[in-house]
Amino acid sequence: MDFHPACLPWLKNGDRVLAGLSGGRDSVALLLLLHRVGVPVCACHVHHGIRGGEADRDARFSRELAVSLGIPCDEVRIDAPALAGQWKMSLEAAARRGRHAALEECALSRGCKAVALAHHQDDQAETILFRLCRGAAGPKGIRPVREGRHGLVWLRPLLHLSRKEITDWLRSIGQEWCDDSTNGAPCCARNILRREALPALDRALGRRVAPILARSARLAGETAAALDEALAALELIDPQGRLYLPKILAFPHALQKAALHWYLRLCRVPGVTEEGVRALLGIIAPRGPARCMLCGAVTARRRERRLWVEDAAGQLLLPGRGREK
């Protein structure tokens, strides 16, 4: 058992790392491995306010495991059903978003430089299939390293390992974990992909497809990264963080779309979609409208051959610097 190579620089520099600890096999393995190799680690368990007594069991197990290892562990409670209603999204999506926010807050309060999550290769395959079925541009997967807000780095050190490898390792050292009974229920698309679609693909091809999908995602990610580097080298952004449109308008149509998508991602606009990019294509045209609404209550504006984006409060969303008044 080892860590993903891309995560090693962040795990070897001596900075404190927060590990998300659900009590399930994957997060238990992650915490144990971080502890064994001497990474300064603390843990955070997020109770989602669902699953009743089973969730209480998971919280108790996580606390006891952390105590046995001498690792500080915070427990954060969120009300996922209430958040789903407030944010008008599915329970699963609200739980994920609420959990992410809780881990971020806990990491900052603990002085952590990184958050480690226990996604593995089978999660990667499931995510790739899910995104492809929703119309994603290529086999986009989970990144092993992602820079987030407030200088936090989000790590997936087990992303190269299969669920079976993790399970076999835990059994070899006699370590227990908690099983989430809802993972096996056909209650959402991801569960069905995990329990039915991926095994069916394994049988159809006569081998595990998870490593194949992960390889496709890695290759697509390398191509996307190369395109990002090429766009950055073209100096498309002015000193105020706005996109300089004369250069963009000289590009072929496909490259215009790529540049606009790249800029929105640099500005950390949430939920960038093809429809949003198409809307931007409309306003960058010399005779197009001067503004358009994007997802997440974000507005894009064009003036004096420049494009920028701002949130609902009118604060600028600038590349790599979050919000500025």
Side-chain angles (χ1 to χ4, degrees), residues 112-145:
C112 297
K113 300 297 184 182
V115 179
L117 302 176
H119 297 94
H120 49 69
Q121 192 179 79
D122 298 73
D123 295 322
Q124 178 76 297
E126 171 195 317
T127 298
I128 293 166
L129 279 181
F130 183 73
R131 289 175 173 170
L132 284 174
C133 291
R134 296 183 65 184
K140 184 180 178 182
I142 307 167
R143 287 179 285 173
V145 178

Side-chain angles (χ1 to χ4, degrees), residues 102 144 192 243 258 310 315:
I192 295 172
L243 199 61
E310 57 190 43
Q315 294 180 320

Side-chain angles (χ1 to χ4, degrees), residues 176-194:
E176 297 180 345
W177 64 84
C178 297
D179 282 321
D180 181 348
S181 62
T182 64
N183 284 337
C187 56
C188 64
R190 285 182 176 271
N191 279 9
I192 295 172
L193 289 174
R194 181 188 311 123

